[in-house]
Amino acid sequence: MRRTVRTITAILFVAIVVGCAFAVLYLGTSTGLTFGGSGSRLLQAAKGDPVYAQVGWLRNTAPWPITIQSITTNVSDAAEDPTVLLEREQSGSKVSSGGRPNWVLNASHAPYQLNGSALRYLGFQLRPKDKAVSYLTSITVHFTGPLGLPFTSTFKGTTVVASSSNLPSGIISTDPNSDSSSLDSYIGALRNVLISPSPSDAAAVMGGGATTADGAALLKLETGFLTSDSVIATPEPGDRRHQKLVFYLNDPVKGALPPISVAWSGFRWTVVRT
């Protein structure tokens, strides 16, 4: 009887030890992958090339290795899935388009073993769709630890934006709620199409699925625009993502052209058509 009790006690003890070890490994792995270095990289792609951007990092805070099986993103309007790269160090250039930079050639790909306390910087290759602004604002990392169990962690704070090369410059912009100068470049883009009127160019600047006919209608609405015109931008109360633009010469009332309503979404401004 005593021998049976001792055997049961030993089994329970071993089970508790194993259970505790499993819990430590499980919890340590599930919370061991951390993210930092959040930021934004915005750029217009060069013709036929993607945008390459460096932003953010991943660190394994667990004392044992983890294996990053894959990294996905919440990308929108991309011609293909973005390539996510793992770098040992970052170069001085944070965003570029054209030939592949050296850091892309030297970076690693998933699956990748990240040792305990190791850190890897993140790089992205993003190719926008034709006449679109592509962007991603989060990454989801799929990884495993010593037990081989799968884990998933989603991290926000990594923003990469790529404007198609056949969109006019000045289209992409940051959130006006956090950047008061967000609208400036878009106003410049509108000025350019009003100075050299082209219905197709005007439609591209308008965005939101605007057609050549919509572009022609905007040009007709703003007939009489002069390069010397000033502009007033009036946001909706409490919402800088919706604003009304009025171009005018000398007098903002008597010398004003019809207002243009614009809205910000998806890292670009568009003209609100009525």
Side-chain angles (χ1 to χ4, degrees), residues 54-65:
Q54 298 172 311
V55 56
W57 48 257
L58 293 171
R59 182 192 294 276
N60 177 15
T61 60
W64 48 79

Side-chain angles (χ1 to χ4, degrees), residues 40-125:
S40 300
R41 304 286 182 262
L42 292 77
L43 188 69
Q44 184 166 22
K47 187 174 182 179
D49 293 311
V51 164
Y52 302 98
Q54 298 172 311
V55 56
W57 48 257
L58 293 171
R59 182 192 294 276
N60 177 15
T61 60
W64 48 79
I66 64 169
T67 300
I68 296 175
Q69 301 292 350
S70 64
I71 302 176
T72 57
T73 72
N74 66 336
V75 71
S76 176
D77 288 326
E80 57 195 23
D81 288 339
T83 300
V84 184
L85 305 160
L86 298 166
E87 314 165 58
R88 291 184 178 274
E89 58 186 27
Q90 288 185 326
S91 67
S93 175
K94 300 300 183 183
V95 62
S96 64
S97 185
R100 285 189 175 187
N102 287 335
W103 64 264
V104 172
L105 302 175
N106 297 327
S108 301
H109 300 76
Y112 183 85
Q113 180 175 297
L114 192 59
N115 294 328
S117 302
L119 179 148
R120 289 294 177 269
Y121 297 98
L122 292 168
F124 299 86
Q125 177 181 313

